[in-house]
Amino acid sequence: MRSDEKVVGLDGCSIQCLHPEKIQLVLDAALPADDLARAASMFKLLGDLTRSRLLFALLEAGELCVCDLAAATGTQEATVSQSLRMLRASGVVTGRRQGRLVFYRLADAHVRMLLDLTREHIAHDATGVTDGVATATEVIR
């Protein structure tokens, strides 16, 4: 190697910029920082196994009380209540009071669509590899 040559990692670029028009397109369409933070928070909600179980249970059942959610997911009622507080505060679920019970449901069609797409994405290739690219689960292992 010559002294003026630079070593570039396998995932690095050997030249500064190949497609400035694509970079400008990305910059023009970039989410503002606060919207990006809200999107990241939404995906963090799904990052917890208990919250994911609860959300997918509500997707299937439509509406459930805490004790039914606990039974359906095999989770302690106190844990369900704590998770529901976070989901409600994030605007992902909403509750309807009926006497002493509160029945929870997904907040809107956007949440249902996100969960449906997540389930579809997971199911479309159960082998864990799509087009030779490892999934996040494969990478974590």
Side-chain angles (χ1 to χ4, degrees):
M1 183 168 91
R2 296 189 333 239
S3 62
D4 62 339
E5 286 184 36
K6 184 177 171 186
V7 175
V8 177
L10 293 176
D11 59 348
C13 292
S14 59
I15 58 175
Q16 188 96 32
C17 184
L18 286 176
H19 304 96
E21 68 282 354
K22 287 187 179 183
I23 292 170
Q24 190 60 52
L25 179 72
V26 170
L27 292 173
D28 291 344
L31 289 174
D34 57 332
D35 288 350
L36 195 55
R38 289 178 61 206
S41 293
M42 175 65 75
F43 284 105
K44 280 183 185 179
L45 290 172
L46 285 172
D48 177 78
L49 191 58
T50 299
R51 291 191 299 266
S52 287
R53 278 191 185 113
L54 296 174
L55 290 171
F56 282 105
L58 291 172
L59 178 66
E60 290 304 315
E63 193 175 69
L64 292 169
C65 65
V66 171
C67 55
D68 287 343
L69 275 166
T73 61
T75 308
Q76 296 292 319
E77 286 186 28
T79 304
V80 170
S81 292
Q82 182 180 12
S83 294
L84 285 169
R85 273 193 294 279
M86 181 180 286
L87 293 168
R88 193 174 56 242
S90 300
V92 176
V93 300
T94 186
R96 174 183 62 84
R97 185 169 293 281
Q98 184 176 333
R100 296 185 68 193
L101 292 175
V102 177
F103 289 88
Y104 292 91
R105 64 184 177 278
L106 299 176
D108 59 34
H110 296 112
V111 176
R112 285 188 293 280
M113 187 184 323
L114 179 63
L115 293 171
D116 278 333
L117 287 172
T118 300
R119 183 170 39 198
E120 186 177 320
H121 178 69
I122 292 166
H124 90 275
D125 190 347
T127 64
V129 177
T130 305
D131 298 330
V133 177
T135 63
T137 304
E138 290 286 322
V139 171
I140 291 170
R141 287 185 199 161

